[in-house]
Amino acid sequence: MKKILVYSRFNRFWHWMQSMLIFFLALTGFEIHGSLNFFGFEQAVTFHNTAAIMFLILIGLAIFWHFTTGEWRQYLPTRKHLRAQVEYYITGIFRNTPHPTKKTALTKLNPLQRLVYLALKILVIPIMVFSGLLYMFYRYPQSSGIQSLNIENLGTIAFLHTAGAFILISFIITHVYLITTGRTLTSNLKAMITGYEVLEHETTIIHHSEQKVISENVIEATK
Ligand code: HEM
């Protein structure tokens, strides 16, 4: 077992900023929706719009980071061990069977996480962003001059945006439960705070450049 740097500083910054922003967008969004009463409707709209702009900037930074570091590869879907992973969460976990996949610095995500995170990245978040922006510009057409959106479109936009919000909230609930299912109850949480996690040493043969990254991580961790 070795202590490895799994989550870089930007990775952790992006993760925690994203979780705070989504939480805050959900809170203010459901106030706009009429389900909650915290800030008052007008204030909730202002807060929601500001948080949405911050979220858009963060998404821009994260896209840049994913492509410049090659981290986007973590999300390439695979069917290998997918079934085993699902079975593990349904039954194996309650019988203390070992995790079907091994976590390394290069494969942080199990096959189920890859699928779910990829769907969030290419489907749910884009739907939230596009419906949110259309919603924004529909509500304030005077300055942007988008007149072609009519009232029927707003219904669809509101439906998509609210449905996306429910999906994100369901994801967060499941996510919070699943972070407790790592090597220990808090090992995943600690890793996302400190960046380091105790993992089994790599045994597979890997590409030279990837080996270099791992070696650097191990050196960093042992400093
Ligand atoms: C970049 C992303 C986003 C943008 C641009 C955006 C923008 C907006 C806008 C302009 C509104 C309407 C405000 C008004 O009535 O004046 C709205 C409503 C709402 N937003 Fe967002 N939003 C974003 C992300 C999110 C996220 C991540 C969530 C939840 C997790 C969320 C949840 C909601 C909800 C529930 C409503 C009320 C929908 C309704 O009742 O029709 N939004 N959003």
Side-chain angles (χ1 to χ4, degrees):
M1 303 296 277
K2 265 213 158 73
K3 207 173 167 198
I4 309 273
L5 179 69
V6 187
Y7 305 111
S8 68
R9 201 172 303 178
F10 179 81
N11 198 163
R12 285 174 279 145
F13 163 77
W14 164 60
H15 174 270
W16 291 114
M17 278 301 285
Q18 173 166 264
S19 55
M20 282 190 288
L21 284 172
I22 291 182
F23 177 79
F24 190 66
L25 283 162
L27 190 72
T28 48
F30 277 102
E31 173 139 20
I32 297 168
H33 191 68
S35 328
L36 302 169
N37 199 353
F38 268 113
F39 307 107
F41 181 80
E42 267 178 46
Q43 198 63 276
V45 171
T46 313
F47 284 161
H48 194 81
N49 286 349
T50 311
I53 306 284
M54 288 170 73
F55 191 40
L56 287 174
I57 296 171
L58 185 70
I59 290 172
L61 292 175
I63 291 175
F64 180 77
W65 174 78
H66 275 85
F67 286 104
T68 49
T69 57
E71 280 288 313
W72 62 273
R73 288 198 184 84
Q74 301 268 2
Y75 304 86
L76 288 175
T78 171
R79 275 163 54 188
K80 202 173 160 201
H81 302 309
L82 181 61
R83 213 192 151 92
Q85 193 67 45
V86 174
E87 282 170 3
Y88 171 75
Y89 283 133
I90 297 173
T91 57
I93 196 168
F94 303 109
R95 296 191 194 132
N96 252 349
T97 53
H99 278 266
T101 48
K102 294 274 166 278
K103 186 171 176 179
T104 74
L106 291 171
T107 54
K108 299 174 196 172
L109 307 175
N110 71 47
L112 197 59
Q113 282 176 316
R114 281 173 185 243
L115 269 189
V116 173
Y117 294 178
L118 186 68
L120 286 179
K121 278 178 190 300
I122 64 171
L123 203 70
V124 184
I125 301 285
I127 285 178
M128 290 312 277
V129 169
F130 284 112
S131 59
L133 287 175
L134 286 172
Y135 215 155
M136 231 178 222
F137 290 110
Y138 172 83
R139 301 286 291 185
Y140 310 105
Q142 307 87 326
S143 53
S144 55
I146 298 179
Q147 266 113 32
S148 56
L149 297 176
N150 55 35
I151 199 75
E152 278 94 35
N153 288 347
L154 183 62
T156 320
I157 293 164
F159 174 78
L160 284 175
H161 202 72
T162 312
F166 275 109
I167 294 174
L168 281 177
I169 291 169
S170 322
F171 164 76
I172 290 169
I173 295 170
T174 319
H175 186 69
V176 170
Y177 159 63
L178 288 177
I179 57 168
T180 65
T181 64
R183 203 173 55 84
T184 68
L185 196 70
T186 54
S187 60
N188 282 337
L189 178 66
K190 280 188 189 140
M192 198 42 100
I193 295 171
T194 64
Y196 290 96
E197 191 169 354
V198 178
L199 298 175
E200 234 170 78
H201 199 45
E202 311 278 331
T203 47
T204 41
I205 299 164
I206 41 180
H207 188 270
H208 177 68
S209 59
E210 293 170 343
Q211 176 71 64
K212 191 168 160 275
V213 173
I214 291 179
S215 315
E216 279 165 3
N217 290 340
V218 173
I219 292 164
E220 270 253 64
T222 46
K223 263 185 202 163

